[in-house]
Amino acid sequence: TMRKPFLILLLFFVFSANQLKAQNNILDLEPELIAAASCNGMIAGNTLINYENGVLSEERARIMIRTTYLSFFLTAIKFKDIEHLRKYQTEYDSIYQEEINRILTLIETESFDWDTQAELDVCAARLFDPLTSVSKADLENVGIMDYFEFSKQIKVEADKVFDFLISVIQAME
């Protein structure tokens, strides 16, 4: 369909603009967070494809996007402080966007294969680890006293991103 190439171009443009900023600071990024952003972007890209193709309902697709956001943050606070996250948010976001773009491109060019599926499987396992291993101390160290309130905020932010991506897809229909 015509909308997939447009979405890929849109995401590529977003990534390219962010990448210009990211190149200045790449050595200051945390390798664990680069890996988390990359994995979560792959899962988000796969989620968008599965939603578009009717494999996932809207609610399940939203849950997947929310989970990528929550997982990234919980991974981040294990390795870095909030100041690092604020300073380099654009760089980590660009990695996330790049991986969404990569998955969409692989699907569009019919290059998605078992190796890509294996990468996604590893990423899924990686995604769940911080959700089940975060401690109260990890949260308190970054000023989160109410995990449930925090997870509501993550849900709101992730839903904004999902709504934007879906509005682009719908505009192309």
Side-chain angles (χ1 to χ4, degrees), residues 153-171:
Q153 292 172 352
I154 291 282
K155 178 180 174 179
V156 168
E157 290 306 309
D159 281 352
K160 284 180 190 173
V161 171
F162 182 82
D163 289 339
F164 171 74
L165 293 170
I166 294 308
S167 69
V168 171
I169 290 169
Q170 289 171 344

Side-chain angles (χ1 to χ4, degrees), residues 97-166:
Q97 291 288 348
E98 178 183 16
E99 290 302 312
I100 290 175
N101 183 52
R102 186 168 76 89
I103 292 295
L104 294 176
T105 300
L106 287 172
I107 297 291
E108 182 66 23
T109 60
E110 298 181 359
S111 302
F112 189 99
D113 59 15
W114 284 109
D115 289 338
T116 310
Q117 183 60 54
E119 279 185 78
L120 273 168
D121 292 344
V122 169
C123 284
R126 184 183 183 95
L127 178 83
F128 291 116
D129 177 50
L131 302 175
T132 57
S133 66
V134 68
S135 71
K136 188 174 181 181
D138 290 334
L139 296 170
E140 289 174 351
N141 285 343
V142 294
I144 298 168
M145 301 303 161
D146 184 343
Y147 180 77
F148 296 104
E149 186 57 38
F150 166 71
S151 65
K152 280 186 208 166
Q153 292 172 352
I154 291 282
K155 178 180 174 179
V156 168
E157 290 306 309
D159 281 352
K160 284 180 190 173
V161 171
F162 182 82
D163 289 339
F164 171 74
L165 293 170
I166 294 308

Side-chain angles (χ1 to χ4, degrees), residues 2-16 101 104-105 108 168 172:
M2 182 57 200
R3 61 192 172 169
K4 282 185 194 169
F6 176 77
L7 184 60
I8 290 168
L9 286 175
L10 172 74
L11 293 174
F12 183 72
F13 174 76
V14 169
F15 168 68
S16 296
N101 183 52
L104 294 176
T105 300
E108 182 66 23
V168 171
M172 297 307 299

Side-chain angles (χ1 to χ4, degrees), residues 13-147:
F13 174 76
V14 169
F15 168 68
S16 296
N18 284 338
Q19 189 182 36
L20 294 175
K21 298 175 201 163
Q23 287 175 345
N24 299 328
N25 307 352
I26 192 77
L27 297 178
D28 295 329
L29 301 183
E30 166 59 47
E32 288 289 336
L33 301 190
I34 292 170
S38 177
C39 268
N40 292 350
M42 283 185 70
I43 290 171
N46 196 53
T47 297
L48 289 171
I49 294 293
N50 285 336
Y51 172 69
E52 222 183 310
N53 293 334
V55 173
L56 291 176
S57 67
E58 180 177 332
E59 187 53 28
R60 286 190 173 154
R62 284 183 184 278
I63 288 167
M64 291 299 294
I65 300 297
R66 291 172 196 153
T67 303
T68 67
Y69 268 66
L70 181 59
S71 176
F72 178 80
F73 186 82
L74 295 177
T75 299
I77 65 173
K78 283 183 161 189
F79 295 97
K80 291 292 182 181
D81 59 22
I82 292 291
E83 190 50 43
H84 174 87
L85 297 179
R86 284 192 182 114
K87 185 174 181 182
Y88 298 108
Q89 179 180 356
T90 301
E91 287 77 8
Y92 291 119
D93 284 349
S94 73
I95 293 164
Y96 181 85
Q97 291 288 348
E98 178 183 16
E99 290 302 312
I100 290 175
N101 183 52
R102 186 168 76 89
I103 292 295
L104 294 176
T105 300
L106 287 172
I107 297 291
E108 182 66 23
T109 60
E110 298 181 359
S111 302
F112 189 99
D113 59 15
W114 284 109
D115 289 338
T116 310
Q117 183 60 54
E119 279 185 78
L120 273 168
D121 292 344
V122 169
C123 284
R126 184 183 183 95
L127 178 83
F128 291 116
D129 177 50
L131 302 175
T132 57
S133 66
V134 68
S135 71
K136 188 174 181 181
D138 290 334
L139 296 170
E140 289 174 351
N141 285 343
V142 294
I144 298 168
M145 301 303 161
D146 184 343
Y147 180 77

